[in-house]
Amino acid sequence: MSHPIMVAAAKCLTAAEERRTTARANAFRTWGPRSVTAATKYARRLLGDEAVTLDWEVLGLLSFEEHLQAIASLDTVGGQHLELYYTDQGGTERILLRVSCVSCPSQHVHEVRSLDQLGQLLSQTPAWQSIDPRDGGDL
């Protein structure tokens, strides 16, 4: 017959494994919505009230327990696709502007720190011609 301490240790291990499995399943189920919610809140704080119009979507699946990520497509103009990428890894939130070539593998990524800086980054893209307020752009 096994010693009672061995049985107690086995029960403790089994219970801990069950708790971890349940927590992991819950984290997996809620990862996408948490990513979109976090992206929405951070974008609004960083970029202002207009950020509520961004349509954030879940982007893939990494280590879902601690790495939230989402993406919002902005436009495709002049052969360039523009999108905002949100990431929160270990409590460090960032929004990046990705400008990628539609017909080639070229891609440029810039961290966005404010609405003003986003405007500066956009002014260097073909999209600027259609949004420049000085030239009657679509506001």
Side-chain angles (χ1 to χ4, degrees), residues 2 5 7 22 32 50 60 75-78 83 85-88 95 98 104 108 115-116 129 137:
S2 298
I5 195 73
V7 173
T22 300
E50 287 297 319
D75 204 353
T76 301
V77 180
E83 57 195 6
Y85 171 73
Y86 167 83
T87 181
D88 177 357
I95 289 184
R98 283 202 252 186
C104 66
H108 300 282
L115 187 60
D116 179 57
Q129 293 174 4

Side-chain angles (χ1 to χ4, degrees), residues 63-85:
S63 176
F64 57 82
E65 293 173 355
E66 51 188 59
H67 188 174
L68 302 177
Q69 60 180 3
I71 193 164
S73 181
L74 298 178
D75 204 353
T76 301
V77 180
Q80 291 185 333
H81 184 67
L82 301 129
E83 57 195 6
L84 292 177
Y85 171 73

